[in-house]
Amino acid sequence: MRTRWIGAAAVTAALVLTPLPATARVPGHELAFTGWVGDDVRQRLLVLDTATQEPRTVAPGGIADLVWSADGSRLAWIGFQEPTGSVVDTATTLYSARPDGTGRRTLFAGSSLGDVAAAPDGSFAVARSDVREIVDCSTHPPVPAADITLVSPEGRARRLTPTPVGTFDLQFSRDGRDLVWSSSDGDPCGSTGWPHLNLTDVDTGATRVVTGARSLQSPTFSGDGRTVIASTSDEFGQDLVRVDVATAAAQRVETPGFAEEHPVVSPSGDAVAVVRTAVVPDPGTYFRPTEDPHVVVLDLRGNLLQDLGQVHLGVDRLAWSSDGSTVAVAGDNFVPSEPGSDVGSADPAIWSFSVAGGGPVRLSSTAGFASAGLAFRPTFPDPPTIERRTRGRR
């Protein structure tokens, strides 16, 4: 349910979270997103220092997705060329660079790439397909081949598992053993099914489909890797879903009177930030928002821990700083060209909320849309040591 909301919500905080000790290399936090600067509206990859609120350009050009490497030393992104003629080549390229834009590398090219995730060992996973140009569906073309490919920091590639063309929302568990991803089965030129989740063993490529819920997306692993929190939106509401990784079974977390979306698990691994909106049943739209959304923190069973505050925009992304002190929100509001008009423009913005309280702070008014990604730089003083644990399968 993608809806713009108006109003005010009142939710009581049950517990105030304590931020983890900060280990940032630079003043403030570094936040990566896509947008523009000033009067130059060409899209680019940007990094913003939350202390100075000044964005800097990492790379120009179209950006389809972005992610930090696990140790925070590099940014990786899927880039594409803007169309310049009647034939559009949809081939995209996986690049990486240092946060200041230097040391740029081409890691993987020659396919259509739709999503990227960072593994704890420094490698990346990309959703890849053989779609190379705009397809004329009237010719009834065959369904293109697609897969998830693992790419090393040096650009070596290994096919992990076949996938539908409609594959997105890739994320690794923190020990790097499992990869969760969303997909929609079917022919892109025909009908596709509800989005569902899949769990892939990174060592073997064996993949299991999550059962027990439909229309699943925005998956995020708990800290111990035993649970995935995702969101679902259907005729029963917009709720969170808990997935047991051992059994690949999903259970809906019902919160009557509220809609929740965009879950992001905390750096501590035991809480989740979400966008929560008060709603009432409405025969025309399933559920009608009654108030503006709030950014809240829940435990992994859906119990409210903290209400960080209200946000007055349609939210597209959430991100949590690696020290646990800050949650960033990106989205936009529709601005009509004149009162009552359906024609207008979008007013994008990025805001931050401190878990210590104090209300939202607008981080960006000159740089815009975060639809291609929003991610804080990991701030480990040293590369993380990942312990590969054994988790039982039932």
Side-chain angles (χ1 to χ4, degrees):
M1 183 173 63
R2 307 286 298 185
T3 312
R4 301 307 187 211
W5 299 306
I6 302 173
V11 183
T12 302
L15 176 67
V16 175
L17 300 183
T18 301
L20 300 175
T23 56
R25 297 187 180 95
V26 296
H29 303 288
E30 290 184 297
L31 183 65
F33 58 101
T34 59
W36 64 85
V37 178
D39 295 330
D40 186 350
V41 297
R42 291 174 295 179
Q43 190 185 32
R44 65 191 71 192
L45 175 60
L46 300 164
V47 170
L48 180 142
D49 187 322
T50 61
T52 64
Q53 299 185 15
E54 290 294 328
R56 65 176 183 271
T57 298
V58 177
I63 311 295
D65 196 19
L66 64 91
V67 69
W68 291 94
S69 63
D71 65 358
S73 63
R74 300 183 71 81
L75 265 170
W77 69 96
I78 296 172
F80 61 90
Q81 296 296 322
E82 300 289 353
T84 57
S86 58
V87 177
V88 179
D89 186 349
T90 63
T92 45
T93 302
L94 179 66
Y95 301 101
S96 76
R98 300 185 186 97
D100 61 2
T102 62
R104 179 166 170 168
R105 303 171 186 165
T106 297
L107 300 182
F108 191 70
S111 295
S112 180
L113 308 178
D115 205 84
V116 60
D121 65 0
S123 63
F124 303 96
V126 290
R128 188 208 67 83
S129 77
D130 287 340
V131 178
R132 287 298 306 271
E133 60 185 32
I134 300 300
V135 176
D136 180 3
C137 290
S138 66
T139 64
H140 305 289
V143 177
D147 59 56
I148 292 175
T149 295
L150 300 180
V151 183
S152 74
E154 297 76 33
R156 295 187 299 271
R158 173 172 73 89
R159 183 174 181 265
L160 178 62
T161 186
T163 68
V165 174
T167 294
F168 50 97
D169 286 347
L170 279 62
Q171 189 182 93
F172 284 93
S173 59
R174 298 190 186 184
D175 62 6
R177 181 183 178 190
D178 292 306
L179 180 73
V180 66
W181 44 284
S182 300
S183 65
S184 296
D185 294 332
D187 183 348
C189 280
S191 61
T192 58
W194 291 92
H196 60 268
L197 293 187
N198 311 268
L199 288 162
T200 297
D201 186 298
V202 175
D203 288 334
T204 67
T207 296
R208 298 170 294 149
V209 176
V210 171
T211 61
R214 65 178 184 178
S215 190
L216 297 176
Q217 50 194 328
S218 304
T220 178
F221 273 100
S222 63
D224 60 11
R226 293 183 170 89
T227 304
V228 169
I229 304 296
S231 62
T232 183
S233 179
D234 57 22
E235 66 269 28
F236 302 107
Q238 191 167 12
D239 294 312
L240 299 184
V241 170
R242 286 171 48 90
V243 178
D244 177 61
V245 173
T247 63
Q251 181 179 14
R252 194 177 193 119
V253 180
E254 296 184 1
T255 51
F258 293 101
E260 285 122 354
E261 61 180 341
H262 305 305
V264 180
V265 166
S266 66
S268 60
D270 57 1
V272 58
V274 302
V275 177
R276 167 178 274 192
T277 307
V279 296
V280 295
D282 187 319
T285 60
Y286 293 143
F287 294 89
R288 177 172 54 84
T290 61
E291 301 165 329
D292 262 4
H294 280 226
V295 178
V296 303
V297 179
L298 312 175
D299 67 19
L300 298 185
R301 296 194 175 277
N303 300 306
L304 180 65
L305 298 179
Q306 187 174 358
D307 182 352
L308 299 182
Q310 192 175 48
V311 57
H312 300 284
L313 77 165
V315 178
D316 293 316
R317 300 272 182 169
L318 286 186
W320 209 322
S321 65
S322 61
D323 64 359
S325 68
T326 304
V327 176
V329 178
D332 63 87
N333 282 320
F334 174 72
V335 180
S337 57
E338 57 185 45
S341 174
D342 292 332
V343 178
S345 60
D347 177 24
I350 298 177
W351 296 78
S352 69
F353 292 82
S354 170
V355 300
V361 174
R362 184 161 182 159
L363 295 179
S364 172
S365 58
T366 60
F369 300 110
S371 58
L374 181 74
F376 279 103
R377 181 181 184 178
T379 51
F380 298 102
D382 298 298
T385 300
I386 304 299
E387 177 186 355
R388 295 180 64 85
R389 299 180 297 277
T390 299
R391 296 198 296 272
R393 308 282 196 214
R394 296 197 296 270

